[in-house]
Amino acid sequence: MNYSGTTVSIVLIHTGEYSLLASCLAAIANQKLLPIQVLILTDMPNSIAEVTAIYRLSINFLECEKHEAWIARGKNRAIQMCEGDLIYFMASNHRLKWDCLHELTMRIYESDEPAITYSSFEFANSMLTGMKWGFEFNNYHILNHHLVGEAYLAKKDSLVSKRIQFNENISSGVEDWDLHVRLSKSGYHFLFCPHALYQYYWHKGTLLPPTQSWYDRAAEIIRRHNTDIYNYQYLCKTKRAYAPGLQVISSENSRNLLTAFMQAQSFMDWSMEDDASSAPYRLDVFEYALLEQLPPEALESAVLCLETEPGFSICSITYAGKTVLRVSRQIRGNNLYVYGDEIAQINCTYDGAPYADYEKSWGQGRVTRMRSAKSGIELVRNKISKRAGRFLGGRFTRYLISIYDIVHKHIHSMEFHAVRARLGARLPIIQKVFDHIVYSLCLSPLPVIKTGQDWMDYYSGILQSQCFLLEKDAETRINLMVATSRLEYGGVENILINLVAGLDKARFNIILLTTSSSSHPWAGLARKAGARVYHLDRIVQEDDMPVLITKLISIKKIDCVFIIHSLAAYYAAENIKNINPAVRLIDRNEVREGPNDFPHCSIQIGRSFLDYRTVSHSRLAEYMSELSQRPVDEYKVIYYGVTANVPDIQNVSLRNLCGAGVDDLVVLFVGRLTPQKRPEIFVRTARAVILRTGDRNLHFALIGDGELRDAVYKLIMKDNLQENVHLLGARNDVQPLLAQATLLLMPSEYEGIALVSYEAMAIGIPQIFACVNGQSELINEETGLLISNGAGEVDRYAEACITLLRDERRRERMSTSGKDRIRQKFSRDAFVSRYAELFNKKIDQTL
C-alpha cells in the first residue's frame, strides 16, 4: 500500500505542565505531514483552551474523570473519535521532530502489514532506545524493557476490525504494554524505527527513567493477564529466536557431541553459530574429550562470572590443567568506560579425596583473577581500606567503601551521563571543568560513550541481551536455594546432604550454594543427592557474593532460601526481602561457639529479614532467645534424624585395623582431631583405663584427621600406648567401623548435638559423651552416660568407661533403648518432613 494520501490523527495525553503542552503543540504544527486532527486526552481541563487557541490545528478535547485506569478508558473512546487512517499515541512532554509523522507513516507501509511502528526518542540530548534485537517485535522485550511513554503509530483498522481495545481493568501506564501483547498474540507485525524522531522535553519529571519498582509492579500485572505468553518455555523460545545469550561455535563433525553436552547443562540460552549473531557471549571448545567431566553447572557458572564481574572479558574453564571451554564477552559490560582484556579462570580439577568417584566438580582454589592493571575504583577502595582501617575499624571502613562505590556507580550511570551531555550542549567549558573535578577526585576515567549511536549500541547490546538463566521446570516445583559455607567432611555437611537427599525431587527443585573457599570434596555427594551445586567462591569475590545470591534468586525464581552456616547468605537477606518479600528465608543453627558465631549472625545480620529460625536443640533456642530478647518459641527446635539400619560390615573389620583379637573390646573416637573434639583427653582416658584395669587386651581407636594429629601421635608414643591406642585416620567407611565398636567415647568441648551420637544410637552402640549443649536432649541414662568436663574429668571418663566395659547386659539394654529412641523421636523422615513443611509454607505478605 502506498503511504501517499494517508491521514493521521494524534491522541495526546496531557497530565503535566501547560508549558509542555504548548511546546508539544508547536512541534506538531510544524510537522512535514500535518495531522488532520489532534485529540487531547486530559484530566486537567482548566485553562487548556487558552493554551491551544494559538495553533492552526483541529484540536478536540476529551476530558476524563481521574481514576485508576482513566487513560485506557480515554484511549478507547479516542479511537472511535479519530478520523485518520493512522493514530499516533503520544504524551505532552514529547517534542516531535519535523519529519516524525512523515517517516513513521512511510515505514508502517514498508513492511508486510505491521500494526504498529515505534519511534525512538532522545533523552537529555542522548538517544535511548532498544526496542528490538532485529526490526521485528517480540514479547520477551515487552516483559523486560518496555519503555514507558514511548510514542507509536498504529493502524486504526488493525484495532477496530479485531476489536482490540485497551484494557480498562489494569492500572494506567500499563495499558500500552498490555495492548502490545494482545496485538502480538493476534498475529500482527511490529516495526521499530531506529531514528530519533521525537525527544523528551527536558524537565524534572522526565529526566530520570521510571524506577525499577514500577517495572516490577507493571510486569506482575502483565504476567497475570498473559500467563500463556509469560512462562519459561515460551519466553525462552522467543528469546533464543531473537537474541540467544551464548553463541556456540562448532564444526560439523563435532556438532552432535557439543549439542548433547549443551542440552545437559543448566544454562539454557544458547544457539549454534548460524542463529546467534547478536549473542553477547561466545563459546569455544578446546577439549571435546573432556566435556563429560564437567558438572551441569560449569557453563552457567562461567557466564555468571562474566555477568557479575564486568571487568572480565573471558572465562576459561579448565580440567586437570587443560582448557576445556572458553566463554568470551562479545560486548563490554555494565559501566560506560572500556575495560581491559581480563581473564577469570574456573578450575574443574578432580578431587582425590574419599568420595571422589562421585565427584565431577570444582577443584581446589577460587576463581583465578589475572588483572593487567587496577582501575581507579580499586585503587581508591584499597587506599580507604588500608588507611581508614587503621583508625576507624573494619565496620566503619566498609561503610566508607560502600559510599564510594555508590558515588562511583552514579558518575558512570546513564542518568549522570545525560546531565553531562545536557550541560555540555549549553556550557561546554563548564562541563570540562566539572568533569575534571568529579572524575579526578574519584580517580576514575571519563565515560567514553557520548554519541547517540553509542547509546543505541549500548542499550541494544547490553540491556536487551541479558542471558536467560532460568532453571528447568522452574514453574512446576518449589524452587529451594540452600546456602552453606562449604561441603567438607563434617556434621553440618552430612546433615545438609541427608536433608537434600530426603526431599521429594518431584516437589522440590534444589540449588545448593557454597560461599567459603574449599575443595568441597562432598559436592559430588550433594549432586548425587539431587541438588545443583554452585561454588560462589569460584565465581566472585566474597564481598560480591550477597549481590550474586540476590541475582540468582531472581533468575531462578527461588521460593525459599535455607541458610545453614553461611555468612554471605545472611548479608544477602536484606536485599532479598527488598526485592521480593514473598521469598521465604529460613536458617538453621547447630551450635554456639563464641561472640562471632552463626547464632549471632542470625540475630544481628538476619534481624527481621528471616521468616523462620530453626535450631538443633532446645538449649540453643533458649540461648538465642536470651541473646535476642525475643520469645523462645520463635526458635523452632528441629532435631536431626537418622535411620536405624545397621550398615554392611562384611568387607571391613575394626579389630583387624587395631590388631585386636576377635573378642577384644574396642572403644572408638569419631571426629576431627581438633581442639573442639579434644582427642588428647580420649588418649589420657585410655591410659587411665588400661592402668586401672591392667587389661592389655583393651583397644582404643581414633577415626579422623586434623590439626592435632601430630600432637596426639606424640602423646601416644610418650605414654607407650601404641599397642592399645590406634590412629586410623580419615575414612569413608565410618558407619561400618562404628557398628563394630564396643563403646563410643567423645570428650568434646562443645557440640550442638553431635551427628556421631545419632548414628551410634541408631545402630545400637552405647556411648559416653561430654555433657555439653544439647547432648542431654538426645542421650539419657538408658542409652548412654553423660560426663561433666572440668577438673577431674579424665577420672570420670575412665570410671564410666570401666563401668560399661564390665557390664555387658547394661550395654545390651542401652543398645536396644537407643535404637527404639531413634525410631520414636529422632527419625530421618520426621526431620525431613518438618523442613519440607517449612519450605512450602506461604509467608503472610501483609506483615
Coordinates of all heavy atoms in Angstrom, one line a residue, residues 536-589:
L536 N 30.2 -20.4 44.8 CA 30.3 -19.0 44.6 C 31.7 -18.5 44.8 O 32.1 -17.4 44.2 CB 29.3 -18.2 45.5 CG 27.8 -18.5 45.3 CD1 27.0 -17.4 46.0 CD2 27.4 -18.6 43.9
D537 N 32.5 -19.2 45.6 CA 33.9 -18.7 45.8 C 34.7 -18.9 44.6 O 35.8 -18.3 44.5 CB 34.5 -19.5 47.0 CG 34.5 -21.0 46.7 OD1 33.4 -21.6 46.8 OD2 35.6 -21.6 46.5
R538 N 34.2 -19.7 43.6 CA 34.9 -19.8 42.3 C 34.4 -18.8 41.3 O 34.9 -18.8 40.2 CB 34.7 -21.3 41.8 CG 34.9 -22.4 42.8 CD 36.4 -22.6 43.0 NE 36.6 -23.5 44.1 CZ 36.5 -24.8 44.1 NH1 36.1 -25.4 43.0 NH2 36.7 -25.5 45.2
I539 N 33.3 -18.1 41.6 CA 32.7 -17.2 40.6 C 33.0 -15.7 41.0 O 33.4 -15.0 40.1 CB 31.2 -17.5 40.6 CG1 30.9 -18.9 40.2 CG2 30.5 -16.5 39.6 CD1 29.5 -19.3 40.2
V540 N 32.8 -15.3 42.2 CA 33.0 -13.9 42.6 C 33.8 -13.8 43.9 O 34.0 -14.8 44.6 CB 31.7 -13.2 42.8 CG1 30.9 -13.1 41.5 CG2 30.8 -13.9 43.9
Q541 N 34.2 -12.6 44.2 CA 34.9 -12.4 45.5 C 33.9 -12.4 46.6 O 32.7 -12.2 46.4 CB 35.7 -11.1 45.4 CG 36.8 -11.1 44.4 CD 37.6 -9.8 44.4 OE1 37.7 -9.2 45.4 NE2 38.1 -9.5 43.2
E542 N 34.4 -12.5 47.8 CA 33.5 -12.6 49.0 C 32.5 -11.5 49.1 O 31.3 -11.6 49.4 CB 34.3 -12.8 50.2 CG 33.5 -13.1 51.5 CD 34.4 -13.3 52.7 OE1 35.6 -13.1 52.6 OE2 33.9 -13.6 53.8
D543 N 33.0 -10.2 48.9 CA 32.2 -9.1 49.0 C 31.0 -9.0 48.0 O 30.0 -8.4 48.2 CB 33.0 -7.8 48.9 CG 34.0 -7.6 50.1 OD1 33.8 -8.3 51.1 OD2 34.9 -6.8 49.9
D544 N 31.2 -9.7 46.9 CA 30.2 -9.7 45.8 C 29.2 -10.8 45.9 O 28.2 -10.8 45.2 CB 30.9 -9.7 44.4 CG 31.8 -8.5 44.2 OD1 31.4 -7.5 44.6 OD2 32.8 -8.7 43.5
M545 N 29.4 -11.7 46.9 CA 28.5 -12.9 47.0 C 27.1 -12.5 47.3 O 26.1 -13.1 46.7 CB 29.0 -13.9 48.0 CG 30.2 -14.7 47.5 SD 30.8 -15.8 48.7 CE 32.3 -16.4 48.0
P546 N 26.8 -11.6 48.3 CA 25.4 -11.2 48.5 C 24.6 -10.7 47.3 O 23.5 -11.1 47.1 CB 25.5 -10.1 49.6 CG 26.8 -10.4 50.3 CD 27.7 -10.9 49.2
V547 N 25.3 -10.0 46.4 CA 24.7 -9.5 45.2 C 24.4 -10.6 44.3 O 23.3 -10.7 43.7 CB 25.6 -8.4 44.5 CG1 25.0 -8.0 43.2 CG2 25.8 -7.2 45.4
L548 N 25.3 -11.5 44.1 CA 25.1 -12.7 43.2 C 24.0 -13.6 43.8 O 23.2 -14.1 43.0 CB 26.4 -13.5 43.0 CG 26.3 -14.7 42.1 CD1 25.7 -14.2 40.7 CD2 27.7 -15.3 41.9
I549 N 24.0 -13.8 45.1 CA 22.9 -14.6 45.7 C 21.5 -14.0 45.4 O 20.6 -14.7 44.9 CB 23.1 -14.7 47.2 CG1 24.3 -15.6 47.5 CG2 21.9 -15.3 47.8 CD1 24.7 -15.6 48.9
T550 N 21.4 -12.7 45.5 CA 20.2 -12.0 45.2 C 19.8 -12.1 43.8 O 18.6 -12.3 43.4 CB 20.3 -10.5 45.6 OG1 20.7 -10.4 47.0 CG2 19.0 -9.8 45.4
K551 N 20.8 -12.0 42.9 CA 20.5 -12.1 41.4 C 20.1 -13.5 41.1 O 19.1 -13.7 40.3 CB 21.8 -11.8 40.7 CG 21.6 -11.9 39.2 CD 22.9 -11.5 38.4 CE 22.7 -11.6 36.9 NZ 23.9 -11.1 36.2
L552 N 20.7 -14.5 41.7 CA 20.3 -15.9 41.4 C 18.9 -16.2 41.9 O 18.2 -16.9 41.3 CB 21.3 -16.9 42.1 CG 22.6 -17.1 41.4 CD1 23.6 -17.9 42.3 CD2 22.4 -17.8 40.1
I553 N 18.5 -15.6 43.0 CA 17.2 -15.8 43.5 C 16.1 -15.3 42.5 O 15.1 -15.9 42.3 CB 17.0 -15.1 44.9 CG1 17.7 -15.9 45.9 CG2 15.5 -14.9 45.2 CD1 17.8 -15.3 47.3
S554 N 16.5 -14.2 41.8 CA 15.5 -13.6 40.8 C 15.5 -14.5 39.6 O 14.4 -14.8 39.1 CB 15.9 -12.2 40.5 OG 15.9 -11.3 41.6
I555 N 16.7 -14.8 39.0 CA 16.7 -15.5 37.7 C 16.3 -17.0 37.9 O 15.8 -17.6 36.9 CB 18.0 -15.4 37.0 CG1 19.1 -16.0 37.8 CG2 18.3 -13.9 36.7 CD1 20.5 -15.9 37.2
K556 N 16.4 -17.5 39.1 CA 16.0 -18.9 39.3 C 14.6 -19.0 39.9 O 14.1 -20.1 40.2 CB 17.0 -19.6 40.3 CG 18.4 -19.7 39.7 CD 18.5 -20.7 38.6 CE 19.9 -20.9 38.2 NZ 20.1 -21.8 37.1
K557 N 13.9 -17.9 40.1 CA 12.6 -17.8 40.7 C 12.5 -18.6 42.0 O 11.6 -19.4 42.2 CB 11.6 -18.4 39.7 CG 11.4 -17.5 38.4 CD 10.3 -18.0 37.5 CE 10.1 -17.1 36.3 NZ 9.0 -17.6 35.5
I558 N 13.4 -18.3 42.9 CA 13.5 -19.0 44.1 C 12.3 -18.7 45.0 O 12.0 -17.5 45.2 CB 14.8 -18.7 44.8 CG1 16.0 -19.2 44.0 CG2 14.9 -19.3 46.2 CD1 16.0 -20.7 43.7
D559 N 11.7 -19.7 45.6 CA 10.6 -19.5 46.5 C 11.1 -19.5 48.0 O 10.5 -18.8 48.8 CB 9.6 -20.7 46.4 CG 9.0 -20.8 45.0 OD1 8.4 -19.8 44.5 OD2 9.2 -21.8 44.3
C560 N 12.1 -20.2 48.3 CA 12.6 -20.3 49.6 C 14.1 -20.4 49.7 O 14.7 -21.1 48.9 CB 11.9 -21.6 50.3 SG 12.4 -21.8 52.0
V561 N 14.7 -19.7 50.7 CA 16.2 -19.8 50.9 C 16.4 -20.4 52.2 O 15.9 -19.9 53.2 CB 16.8 -18.4 50.8 CG1 18.3 -18.5 51.0 CG2 16.5 -17.8 49.4
F562 N 17.2 -21.5 52.3 CA 17.6 -22.1 53.5 C 19.0 -21.9 53.8 O 19.9 -22.3 53.0 CB 17.3 -23.6 53.4 CG 17.6 -24.4 54.7 CD1 17.1 -24.0 55.9 CD2 18.4 -25.5 54.7 CE1 17.4 -24.7 57.1 CE2 18.7 -26.3 55.8 CZ 18.2 -25.8 57.0
I563 N 19.3 -21.2 54.9 CA 20.7 -20.8 55.3 C 21.2 -21.7 56.4 O 20.5 -21.7 57.4 CB 20.8 -19.3 55.7 CG1 20.2 -18.4 54.6 CG2 22.2 -18.9 56.1 CD1 20.0 -16.9 55.1
I564 N 22.3 -22.3 56.2 CA 22.9 -23.1 57.3 C 24.4 -22.9 57.3 O 25.1 -23.3 56.4 CB 22.6 -24.6 57.1 CG1 23.2 -25.5 58.2 CG2 22.8 -25.2 55.7 CD1 22.7 -26.9 58.3
H565 N 24.8 -22.0 58.2 CA 26.2 -21.6 58.4 C 26.8 -20.9 57.1 O 27.8 -21.4 56.6 CB 27.0 -22.8 58.8 CG 26.7 -23.3 60.1 ND1 27.5 -24.2 60.8 CD2 25.6 -23.1 61.0 CE1 26.9 -24.5 62.0 NE2 25.8 -23.8 62.1
S566 N 26.2 -19.9 56.7 CA 26.7 -19.1 55.5 C 26.6 -17.6 55.8 O 25.5 -17.0 55.9 CB 26.0 -19.4 54.2 OG 26.4 -18.5 53.2
L567 N 27.8 -17.0 56.0 CA 27.8 -15.5 56.4 C 27.3 -14.7 55.2 O 26.5 -13.8 55.3 CB 29.2 -15.1 56.7 CG 29.4 -13.7 57.2 CD1 28.6 -13.4 58.4 CD2 30.9 -13.4 57.4
A568 N 27.7 -15.0 54.0 CA 27.3 -14.3 52.8 C 25.8 -14.3 52.6 O 25.2 -13.3 52.2 CB 28.0 -14.8 51.5
A569 N 25.2 -15.4 52.9 CA 23.7 -15.5 52.7 C 23.0 -14.6 53.7 O 22.0 -14.0 53.4 CB 23.3 -17.0 52.9
Y570 N 23.5 -14.5 55.0 CA 22.9 -13.6 55.9 C 23.0 -12.2 55.5 O 22.1 -11.4 55.6 CB 23.6 -13.8 57.3 CG 23.2 -15.0 58.1 CD1 24.1 -15.9 58.5 CD2 21.8 -15.1 58.5 CE1 23.7 -17.0 59.2 CE2 21.4 -16.2 59.2 CZ 22.3 -17.2 59.6 OH 21.9 -18.3 60.3
Y571 N 24.2 -11.8 54.9 CA 24.3 -10.4 54.4 C 23.4 -10.2 53.2 O 23.1 -9.0 52.9 CB 25.8 -10.2 54.0 CG 26.6 -9.7 55.2 CD1 27.7 -10.5 55.7 CD2 26.4 -8.6 55.9 CE1 28.4 -10.2 56.8 CE2 27.1 -8.2 57.0 CZ 28.2 -9.0 57.4 OH 28.9 -8.6 58.5
A572 N 23.0 -11.2 52.5 CA 22.1 -11.0 51.3 C 20.7 -10.9 51.7 O 19.8 -10.5 50.9 CB 22.3 -12.2 50.3
A573 N 20.3 -11.2 53.0 CA 18.9 -11.3 53.4 C 18.2 -10.0 53.2 O 17.0 -10.1 52.7 CB 18.9 -11.8 54.9
E574 N 18.7 -8.9 53.5 CA 18.0 -7.6 53.4 C 17.7 -7.3 51.9 O 16.6 -6.9 51.6 CB 18.9 -6.5 54.0 CG 18.1 -5.2 54.0 CD 18.9 -4.1 54.7 OE1 20.1 -4.3 55.1 OE2 18.4 -2.9 54.8
N575 N 18.7 -7.5 51.1 CA 18.4 -7.3 49.6 C 17.4 -8.2 49.1 O 16.5 -7.8 48.3 CB 19.7 -7.4 48.8 CG 20.7 -6.3 49.0 OD1 20.2 -5.2 49.4 ND2 21.9 -6.5 48.8
I576 N 17.4 -9.5 49.5 CA 16.4 -10.4 49.1 C 15.0 -10.0 49.4 O 14.1 -10.0 48.6 CB 16.7 -11.8 49.7 CG1 18.0 -12.4 49.1 CG2 15.5 -12.8 49.3 CD1 18.5 -13.6 49.9
K577 N 14.8 -9.5 50.6 CA 13.5 -9.1 51.1 C 13.1 -7.8 50.5 O 11.9 -7.6 50.2 CB 13.5 -9.0 52.6 CG 13.3 -10.3 53.3 CD 12.0 -11.0 53.0 CE 11.8 -12.2 53.8 NZ 10.5 -12.9 53.5
N578 N 14.0 -6.9 50.2 CA 13.7 -5.7 49.5 C 13.2 -5.9 48.1 O 12.2 -5.3 47.6 CB 14.9 -4.7 49.4 CG 15.2 -4.1 50.8 OD1 14.3 -4.1 51.7 ND2 16.4 -3.7 51.0
I579 N 13.8 -6.9 47.4 CA 13.4 -7.2 46.0 C 12.1 -8.0 45.9 O 11.2 -7.8 45.1 CB 14.6 -7.9 45.3 CG1 15.7 -6.9 45.1 CG2 14.1 -8.4 44.0 CD1 17.0 -7.5 44.5
N580 N 12.0 -9.0 46.8 CA 10.8 -9.9 46.8 C 10.5 -10.3 48.2 O 11.0 -11.3 48.7 CB 11.1 -11.1 45.9 CG 9.8 -11.9 45.6 OD1 8.8 -11.7 46.3 ND2 9.9 -12.9 44.8
P581 N 9.6 -9.6 48.9 CA 9.3 -10.0 50.3 C 8.7 -11.4 50.4 O 8.6 -12.0 51.5 CB 8.3 -8.9 50.7 CG 8.5 -7.8 49.7 CD 8.9 -8.4 48.4
A582 N 8.1 -11.9 49.3 CA 7.5 -13.3 49.3 C 8.5 -14.4 49.4 O 8.1 -15.5 49.7 CB 6.6 -13.4 48.1
V583 N 9.7 -14.2 49.1 CA 10.7 -15.2 49.3 C 10.9 -15.6 50.7 O 11.1 -14.7 51.6 CB 12.1 -14.8 48.7 CG1 13.2 -15.9 49.0 CG2 12.0 -14.6 47.2
R584 N 10.8 -16.9 51.1 CA 10.9 -17.3 52.4 C 12.3 -17.5 52.8 O 13.1 -18.2 52.1 CB 10.1 -18.6 52.7 CG 8.6 -18.5 52.3 CD 7.9 -19.8 52.6 NE 8.2 -20.9 51.6 CZ 7.8 -20.9 50.4 NH1 7.1 -19.9 49.9 NH2 8.1 -21.9 49.6
L585 N 12.7 -16.9 53.9 CA 14.1 -17.1 54.4 C 14.1 -17.8 55.7 O 13.5 -17.4 56.7 CB 14.7 -15.7 54.7 CG 14.9 -14.8 53.4 CD1 15.6 -13.5 53.8 CD2 15.7 -15.5 52.3
I586 N 14.8 -19.0 55.7 CA 14.8 -19.9 56.9 C 16.3 -20.2 57.2 O 17.1 -20.4 56.2 CB 14.0 -21.2 56.6 CG1 12.6 -20.8 56.2 CG2 14.1 -22.1 57.8 CD1 11.8 -22.0 55.6
D587 N 16.7 -20.2 58.4 CA 18.0 -20.6 58.7 C 18.0 -21.8 59.8 O 17.0 -22.1 60.4 CB 18.9 -19.5 59.2 CG 18.6 -19.0 60.6 OD1 17.5 -19.3 61.2 OD2 19.4 -18.3 61.2
R588 N 19.2 -22.4 59.9 CA 19.3 -23.4 61.0 C 20.7 -23.2 61.6 O 21.7 -23.0 60.9 CB 19.3 -24.8 60.3 CG 19.6 -26.0 61.4 CD 19.5 -27.3 60.7 NE 19.8 -28.4 61.7 CZ 19.0 -29.0 62.5 NH1 17.7 -28.6 62.5 NH2 19.4 -30.0 63.3
N589 N 20.7 -23.3 62.9 CA 21.9 -23.2 63.7 C 22.1 -24.4 64.5 O 21.2 -25.0 65.1 CB 21.9 -22.0 64.6 CG 22.2 -20.7 63.8 OD1 23.4 -20.5 63.5 ND2 21.2 -19.9 63.6

